[in-house]
């Protein structure tokens, strides 16, 4: 692989994606701060509130940061979908190889996935210190994946989850870019629908079994290797598409 070409591609993604990360977290931070303040000053407003009730006892816990992970997921989906269609023809036209382009894209989006996980978990740690001062109980976000985590293992798990989401939508974007005729798009959507509907008619669900396999974990390490395995699989599928894609 041409290391000079790879470095140039990485630099391009850094300049292209860096501002979007800053803008995204600036907006999310403002929303989170506003939400925490509204929870603290008004009993009639519940933003990011989770309520559990046992008999007559009602326990209210809040985590605006935990709720914001949905926004992080959406951001990951969007940048993964637009990264290749926006950059492929431009970079290939400048002489980049497909391998350098794809490897740099994988590295850039994986870095952003773990950076977002780091920022998100750091925001959760800050929220842990702020909420008690405001008289609010915090959701035990370190147990939401089914086992006890610490801040470092939470960064790892969330980084791997975001990397997998990124890899899946990189494949989808690559498929639509390469086969973007109306007929091929209809075939793709029909195939996805058939993979969901037809197995159910035979009393099984491929996607359901895959999700149960992924969610049935005994430890953070068990979840981590499964997430990594699926991510590697989708990276490989993405490369099989990209290596034969023509610039348009």
């Amino acid at each position: 692989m041409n290391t000079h070409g790879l470095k140039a591609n990485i630099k391009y993604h850094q300049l292209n994606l860096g501002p979007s990360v800053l803008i995204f977290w600036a907006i999310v931070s403002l929303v989170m701060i506003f939400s925490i303040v509204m929870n603290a000053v008004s009993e009639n407003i519940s933003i990011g509130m989770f309520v559990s009730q046992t008999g007559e006892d009602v326990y209210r816990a809040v985590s605006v940061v935990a709720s914001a992970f949905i926004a992080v997921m959406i951001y990951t989906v969007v940048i993964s979908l637009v990264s290749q269609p926006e950059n492929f023809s431009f970079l290939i036209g400048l002489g980049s190889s497909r391998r350098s382009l794809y490897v740099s894209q994988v590295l850039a989006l994986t870095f952003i996935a773990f950076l977002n996980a780091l920022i998100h978990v750091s925001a959760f740690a800050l929220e842990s210190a702020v909420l008690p001062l405001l008289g609010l109980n915090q959701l035990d976000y370190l147990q939401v994946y089914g086992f006890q985590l610490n801040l470092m293992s939470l960064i790892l798990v969330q980084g791997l989850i975001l990397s997998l989401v990124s890899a899946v939508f990189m494949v989808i974007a690559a498929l639509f870019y390469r086969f973007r005729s109306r007929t091929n798009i209809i075939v793709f959507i029909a195939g996805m629908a058939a993979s969901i509907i037809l197995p159910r008619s035979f009393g099984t669900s491929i996607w359901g079994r895959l999700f149960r396999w992924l969610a049935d974990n005994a430890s953070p390490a068990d979840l981590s290797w499964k997430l990594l395995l699926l991510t590697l699989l989708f990276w490989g599928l993405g490369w099989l598409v990209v290596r034969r894609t023509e610039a348009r």
Side-chain angles (χ1 to χ4, degrees):
M1 185 188 301
N2 186 334
T3 56
H4 177 72
L6 178 60
K7 290 179 180 178
N9 277 275
I10 292 174
K11 184 65 175 180
Y12 174 81
H13 286 300
Q14 178 185 350
L15 295 174
N16 192 36
L17 295 174
S20 74
V21 176
L22 294 176
I23 293 171
F24 168 75
W25 279 108
I27 295 172
V28 171
S29 297
L30 291 174
V31 172
M32 289 193 297
I33 292 171
F34 174 78
S35 300
I36 290 174
V37 171
M38 293 305 296
N39 280 326
V41 301
S42 176
E43 296 181 357
N44 298 321
I45 298 178
S46 299
I47 303 175
M49 186 73 74
F50 301 85
V51 179
S52 62
Q53 184 168 356
T54 304
E56 297 181 355
D57 297 326
V58 177
Y59 179 76
R60 290 179 173 83
V62 63
S63 181
V64 170
V65 175
S67 302
F69 191 64
I70 298 174
V72 180
M73 293 280 283
I74 294 172
Y75 171 77
T76 302
V77 170
V78 171
I79 63 170
S80 301
L81 284 175
V82 303
S83 181
Q84 181 179 327
E86 285 191 350
N87 303 317
F88 188 84
S89 297
F90 176 71
L91 293 176
I92 292 297
L94 291 178
S96 172
S97 68
R98 284 163 178 75
R99 181 175 297 179
S100 294
L101 184 151
Y102 186 69
V103 171
S104 66
Q105 183 183 4
V106 168
L107 292 175
L109 294 180
T110 302
F111 174 79
I112 288 177
F114 278 90
L115 177 63
N116 283 340
L118 174 62
I119 296 173
H120 186 255
V121 173
S122 299
F124 170 73
L126 180 61
E127 184 188 55
S128 301
V130 170
L131 290 184
L133 300 178
L134 300 176
L136 297 171
N137 298 315
Q138 188 185 38
L139 172 75
D140 189 0
Y141 191 42
L142 296 175
Q143 286 189 335
V144 296
Y145 292 97
F147 33 69
Q148 184 65 45
L149 296 168
N150 55 40
L151 293 179
M152 292 303 297
S153 57
L154 182 60
I155 293 173
L156 174 63
V157 168
Q158 290 195 344
L160 289 171
I161 290 174
L162 294 174
S163 296
L164 175 57
V165 171
S166 178
V168 170
F169 284 93
M170 280 172 59
V171 173
I172 293 175
L175 287 170
F176 273 87
Y177 185 84
R178 182 179 176 186
F179 308 107
R180 56 180 172 179
S181 72
R182 182 178 301 176
T183 301
N184 288 326
I185 292 175
I186 293 174
V187 169
F188 176 76
I189 295 174
M192 291 297 297
S195 71
I196 297 172
I197 297 172
L198 289 181
R200 286 187 173 275
S201 64
F202 294 101
T204 184
S205 172
I206 298 174
W207 297 109
R209 289 186 177 183
L210 177 62
F211 179 79
R212 286 193 295 272
W213 172 78
L214 183 60
D216 185 18
N217 304 289
S219 67
D222 192 24
L223 176 59
S224 296
W225 77 259
K226 291 178 181 179
L227 290 169
L228 180 58
L229 178 63
L230 290 175
T231 302
L232 292 173
L233 173 63
F234 279 100
W235 282 346
L237 291 174
W239 170 240
L240 292 177
V241 178
V242 170
R243 66 193 297 242
R244 296 185 180 278
T245 299
E246 296 296 328
R248 301 173 186 238

